[in-house]
Amino acid sequence: MFRARFVTATMAVAALSASLSACSNTEDSTQPKQSQVAVAKDSALAAMVPARFKGGVNVASGVYAPMEMLTESGKFTGFDYDLGQAIGGKLGIGFRFENQDFDTIIPSLQSGKHNIIINGMNDTAERQKTLDFVDYFHAGMAILVKKGNPDHVGTVLDLCGKSVAVAKATVQSDLMKTESRKCPGVGKPAMKLVEVPAETDAQLAVRASKATADVLDAAPAEYAAVTAGSGKLFEVVHDSQHPGGYAPVNTGIGVLKKDHDLTLALQAALKSLIQDGTYKQMLAKYKLTPYAIDAALINGKA
């Protein structure tokens, strides 16, 4: 999307991973338990499921707490997992979640490995060229820094000249490239973007002082600040000019355009969950109520 070249960190991902291997996860909070979501099948909705998906759908996902988390035994849990199970319950089909690297998650649908994406994926115009989105969440992006904010970051432009960790192939990566272009205008050098494979790597980079900040969606940022190391590792920068986060966008379930009949079934099931209150109950469970949507949309439209 962006043609301009930006300063990037010279460290390779492999070197970053090696340098972070000494960071122990023992400080982090107790592993979450897998949720058991019981939602009754709706026969009218189940009739909307295309015949080729009657055996269930394979879901491309990842780890992006509290949207997706893993239990000690490696099973998925989190808001997105619960939502998937609830939609599957309404439709009378199974949703099988599998881990997939985010930068290969769309190709995994195109190859037939997976059928849909539920991974906190932002609904953007660029992605809509390939996918349709059943939108279920709305939030901006936030800046996560070490506890105590040692570099005194107050706004996004305070990151000019500093190392910023972002997960590859994300909206956050595009956002920071755009923000970095503004740095010369305020008399500062460009940001040094450290693109890593996953959000967990970005947080490790901040913990190991390989990056000043991690930029990610607001909900996972707030969750990390409260839970990681029992709340002793990170804090979220609250910019008074952007109280809801930077560049708020919809998050949706990604479906290939050729599977529009499945998209309509997913939208109908989500609409039912919103109407019967199940959706709000799940949001409240993960303290995500501020990011609720009012209606089930496709590509941001009714």
Side-chain angles (χ1 to χ4, degrees):
M1 290 176 63
F2 302 98
R3 297 181 182 274
R5 297 178 62 88
F6 300 96
V7 177
T8 58
T10 57
M11 69 183 81
V13 168
L16 174 63
S17 298
S19 68
L20 297 178
S21 61
C23 289
S24 170
N25 288 326
T26 57
E27 297 175 277
D28 294 339
S29 58
T30 304
Q31 287 278 359
K33 305 298 182 186
Q34 188 175 39
S35 301
Q36 299 297 323
V37 179
V39 173
K41 175 181 174 180
D42 183 312
S43 297
L45 295 176
M48 296 182 65
V49 177
R52 63 192 182 280
F53 295 112
K54 291 293 186 180
V57 295
N58 292 329
V59 182
S61 194
V63 178
Y64 200 41
M67 310 304 284
E68 301 90 16
M69 299 178 281
L70 295 178
T71 67
E72 289 183 0
S73 60
K75 295 182 178 180
F76 273 97
T77 188
F79 175 75
D80 278 355
Y81 176 81
D82 286 5
L83 181 65
Q85 300 312 302
I87 291 175
K90 288 279 187 182
L91 298 176
I93 59 175
F95 274 49
R96 297 179 289 269
F97 277 65
E98 297 177 347
N99 229 328
Q100 182 74 29
D101 288 341
F102 196 83
D103 58 345
T104 62
I105 208 164
I106 294 178
S108 80
L109 263 64
Q110 295 169 321
S111 71
K113 179 181 178 182
H114 296 106
N115 307 121
I116 65 175
I117 297 168
I118 308 181
N119 191 197
M121 177 174 271
N122 296 136
D123 175 355
T124 67
E126 183 66 23
R127 288 173 179 155
Q128 285 178 18
K129 295 176 182 178
T130 306
L131 305 174
D132 284 327
F133 288 90
V134 179
D135 297 321
Y136 63 89
F137 201 75
H138 186 79
M141 302 169 207
I143 301 170
L144 191 71
V145 297
K146 272 188 175 181
K147 192 74 171 180
N149 195 4
D151 289 298
H152 307 292
V153 177
T155 71
V156 69
L157 292 183
D158 289 337
L159 295 174
C160 293
K162 296 180 171 62
S163 295
V164 182
V166 290
K168 290 191 296 184
T170 61
V171 172
Q172 290 84 354
S173 176
D174 291 339
L175 171 68
M176 297 316 293
K177 290 173 183 177
T178 299
E179 292 298 323
S180 185
R181 297 175 62 182
K182 302 175 184 177
C183 293
V186 294
K188 297 180 180 180
M191 300 171 194
K192 303 168 186 175
L193 299 184
V194 182
E195 293 192 285
V196 295
E199 171 52 34
T200 49
D201 300 311
Q203 291 183 25
L204 285 173
V206 175
R207 289 178 62 175
S209 299
K210 299 297 182 181
T212 294
D214 169 18
V215 177
L216 67 163
D217 288 321
E222 296 286 357
Y223 183 85
V226 171
T227 61
S230 300
K232 298 177 181 178
L233 297 179
F234 303 116
E235 66 181 72
V236 176
V237 173
H238 292 106
D239 185 342
S240 60
Q241 298 300 312
H242 299 272
Y246 299 96
V249 294
N250 286 330
T251 294
I253 301 171
V255 189
L256 291 175
K257 289 187 175 296
K258 70 180 182 64
D259 293 325
H260 188 66
D261 47 1
L262 176 61
T263 299
L264 293 176
L266 297 173
Q267 180 194 28
L270 177 58
K271 180 179 179 180
S272 180
L273 291 170
I274 292 172
Q275 290 175 340
D276 69 19
T278 304
Y279 169 73
K280 286 189 175 180
Q281 290 174 9
M282 291 188 295
L283 285 167
K285 173 183 174 181
Y286 293 97
K287 298 180 173 57
L288 297 173
T289 302
Y291 309 112
I293 59 166
D294 296 325
L297 307 176
I298 295 178
N299 299 334
K301 301 176 183 177

